[in-house]
Amino acid sequence: MGIYLNPGNTGFQRALNSEIYIDKSGLLRYVNGKLFTEQQFICVSRPRRFGKSMAANMLAAYYSRGCDSREQFAELDIAGADDFEKHLNKYNVIHLNMADFLSESSGLEDMLCLIEADILDELTEEFEQIRLPKRRSLVRMLNAVFDQTKIPFIFIIDEWDCIFRVHKYQEDGQTKYLDFLRNIMKDKSYVALAYMTGILPIKKYGEHSALNMFDEYSMINPAAFAQFVGFTQGEVEALCRKYHMDFEAARQWYDGYCFDQEEHIYSPRSVVSAMLSGRFDSYWNQTETFDALKTYILMNYDGLKDNVTKLLAGERVKMDIGSFSNDMTTFHSADDVLTLLVHLGYLAYDFDAKSGLIPNSEVAGVFATVVCAAGWNVVAGAIGQSE
């Protein structure tokens, strides 16, 4: 059992130990169906505190050969799947949290060197009994291990997009990072699955659409992942009964993310915080600072201020999401800014109507605080109407 190669299941056990745990192991049913297919590359983007890391830890616990997780999953939904035993702890898993590597690095190139060195060290220690290549690049090592053991690899990458949020303007380093990911995963026979999580969809740089093999599931259209974005209405109703909380109040505070497959998705961390504290309140301001939201909504793009005013009044605004560059720096219009706010969770998106809206009272309160602090006195009437 290593830190990155074939990790244990302690991360997922923490989730199971929590007072509130909602069984989302049905995600594994879907992912199992993608193993060894053209759809084996999955990128899931969601806002902060929407359960991305928990899902990544669950996948690592289920697939990793570095642990025995049968007992953990025995009472969960996935245990009833026909292929539950087939995939349980059967793969070489490489589980990386890119934010951890970034925090330890002096720059993007140093980060890539650190990732490769750490994985190579663990591969060398884990598979010392097999014949390893003399020239030990990461790809050569992975090929050698798979060739001699016939056990494929699963890559689970959490916070994959952190460099695009932290090093926003370092395009050269960003392209090298994309090339690194492409080099170790694309068209490689040793890959059974790659599952990445982040806040932003995959950044594309012209010819460097390096990760175009990934199917993306975002807050714009999560498709089959909709029920795993947050808590469903049935799950929140059950929690309200258990904790003797008013469901209608919970709906007004935390509902509002609506998709074709699930009409009511709730902000999970906020619901948990409300249930455990016994108080409906705004927990959203603990995920992003007011200054961050203020930066985006005060951008001087034609129509943006009017759109924010309409949103605060409870209206929906039409959005063109097609020109968004999937980063936090390249904006050409008000629509690009609004699209970013969808990915950050500040807006919900109606895919059929092509429009955005403020999802619930919690997020509306954050908007109101930000615009008042920014001196937008003209929208005071809109805020009153929203309240």
Side-chain angles (χ1 to χ4, degrees), residues 232-261:
T232 64
Q233 181 157 298
E235 291 164 348
V236 175
E237 287 177 330
L239 287 173
C240 286
R241 288 193 296 270
K242 178 179 178 179
Y243 288 92
H244 308 291
M245 299 287 282
D246 182 359
F247 169 70
E248 182 59 26
R251 186 191 66 79
Q252 292 178 1
W253 271 97
Y254 310 121
D255 188 12
Y257 301 96
C258 304
F259 311 109
D260 287 344
Q261 300 82 357

Side-chain angles (χ1 to χ4, degrees), residues 42-213:
I42 298 169
C43 182
V44 175
S45 56
R46 302 176 194 160
R48 292 186 186 278
R49 304 178 84 173
F50 268 69
K52 300 186 298 298
S53 295
M54 189 282 290
N57 288 336
M58 178 179 70
L59 267 68
Y62 178 69
Y63 290 120
S64 173
R65 295 175 61 246
C67 53
D68 180 357
S69 302
R70 185 181 308 276
E71 185 176 343
Q72 285 185 327
F73 290 98
E75 302 299 323
L76 302 183
D77 174 70
I78 185 60
D82 293 338
D83 59 358
F84 170 65
E85 296 279 351
K86 179 180 178 181
H87 301 295
L88 178 65
N89 302 132
K90 296 295 197 302
Y91 298 89
N92 287 319
V93 168
I94 294 178
H95 185 192
L96 307 173
N97 186 315
M98 292 303 187
D100 291 342
F101 281 101
L102 187 60
S103 66
E104 297 176 17
S105 307
S106 59
L108 296 182
E109 292 191 24
D110 181 48
M111 170 184 164
L112 298 182
C113 291
L114 185 62
I115 293 171
E116 183 155 358
D118 283 355
I119 299 176
L120 280 173
D121 285 347
E122 293 198 3
L123 284 168
T124 301
E125 181 177 353
E126 177 73 13
F127 298 102
E128 60 181 353
Q129 76 282 6
I130 72 172
R131 187 177 67 260
L132 298 175
K134 293 181 180 179
R135 190 156 57 91
R136 297 186 182 182
S137 71
L138 182 53
V139 170
R140 284 174 175 269
M141 286 283 284
L142 294 170
N143 270 318
V145 170
F146 175 62
D147 181 62
Q148 295 177 61
T149 66
K150 306 305 179 186
I151 300 173
F153 285 85
I154 288 179
F155 290 85
I156 302 171
I157 301 177
D158 200 8
E159 298 277 5
W160 87 272
D161 63 331
C162 63
I163 71 167
F164 300 98
R165 294 182 273 114
V166 177
H167 295 287
K168 300 177 182 179
Y169 302 101
Q170 296 187 23
E171 291 197 9
D172 183 60
Q174 291 171 5
T175 55
K176 289 179 180 178
Y177 173 66
L178 291 175
D179 286 342
F180 170 80
L181 293 177
R182 175 182 61 183
N183 188 45
I184 64 173
M185 291 188 289
K186 188 173 184 179
D187 299 326
K188 298 299 189 291
S189 58
Y190 53 73
V191 178
L193 174 78
Y195 182 95
M196 300 199 310
T197 74
I199 295 175
L200 297 174
I202 292 173
K203 171 69 177 176
K204 299 176 175 65
Y205 287 112
E207 68 178 82
H208 281 285
S209 297
L211 305 182
N212 57 7
M213 69 281 201

